[in-house]
Amino acid sequence: MPANPDTQATRRLVHEGCESSDWRAYAARLDDLAARLGLRRALLGQPGGEPLCLFTPLADPGRRPRLLVASGLHGDEPAGPWGLLRFLERADRRALDACSLSLLPVVNVTGFRNGTRLNAWGEDPNRGYLHADGASGPSREGAAILAHAADVLALASDGFLACHEDPALACAYVYSLERRQSPGPFSIALREVLARRFPIHPDGLVDGCPVRDGIVFNHHDSSLEAWFMRNGSARAACTETPGQCAIDERIEANAGLIEAFVRCP
Ligand code: NI
């Protein structure tokens, strides 16, 4: 979550054959995958002329769990968006058909292009959704999401996952929110995916929040994940892969986190 001047956003991606901030390459591959998987693209807004896209399944969700994954809220955390692509490339049809999965693949496109945490106007696209921690209001991206609040809340009624990174750290952790007193299978499943690849953050504080066994539990701030929880999502999480580790490992971890999110009962 904290800003890091030594950004890794321009790292060359081995499997993808481009820079991690290559927005054109990213968008082209995403559109191709979305078409192949039968996802519908909607435009929530165009901050700075860049598209903030929401992808939803063509099929009626019926009684299937409604899940939403967001990534690229901070532009210097590239493994989330690229991990989402890797998840889509590998996703087996049965797993996808078992739920109704919607996607906000790159919320902060100007930050992604520039390799910066904040958007082009210095706003934080993961703050200001609720009037907590002194936040003045939403970013341009946040305002676009809030303008479609009823739609996105319906898409995330059974769960919301935001794929973040902590550029300053070499260990991983997760913020999770559940309607219970202690972390349940949802939180633990995400932590376990991280633990397979990275050291887990030691118990203590991270960004001023108490972390135990790699989990910051039921922390309510003005973030997008807290907004979903406040407005009725059954559960929500913000995962943090360590920006100081190799980017390919981080991309793999993010693909695995989305797989675990989709499979978790
Ligand atoms: Ni972040």
Side-chain angles (χ1 to χ4, degrees), residues 32-91:
D32 182 48
L33 279 165
R36 199 196 308 166
L37 295 169
L39 298 170
R40 179 194 295 124
R41 186 171 85 141
L43 198 59
L44 298 190
Q46 286 188 286
E50 302 287 3
L52 201 180
C53 294
L54 169 70
F55 291 84
T56 53
L58 291 172
D60 183 88
R63 308 183 90 175
R64 294 175 297 156
R66 298 175 193 216
L67 305 174
L68 175 63
V69 175
S71 63
L73 285 115
H74 294 137
D76 60 345
E77 302 172 11
W82 290 104
L84 193 152
L85 275 195
R86 203 168 284 185
F87 163 80
L88 291 175
E89 277 168 356
R90 290 186 193 156

Side-chain angles (χ1 to χ4, degrees), residues 165-187:
E165 300 205 86
D166 192 323
L169 291 186
C171 58
Y173 58 100
V174 53
Y175 295 87
S176 71
L177 300 115
E178 297 190 70
R179 301 192 187 282
R180 48 185 291 156
Q181 297 299 312
S182 60
F186 169 71
S187 304

Side-chain angles (χ1 to χ4, degrees), residues 129-148:
Y129 293 92
L130 294 160
H131 289 287
D133 50 51
S136 53
S139 62
R140 286 161 173 79
E141 294 80 6
I145 291 170
L146 291 172
H148 299 83

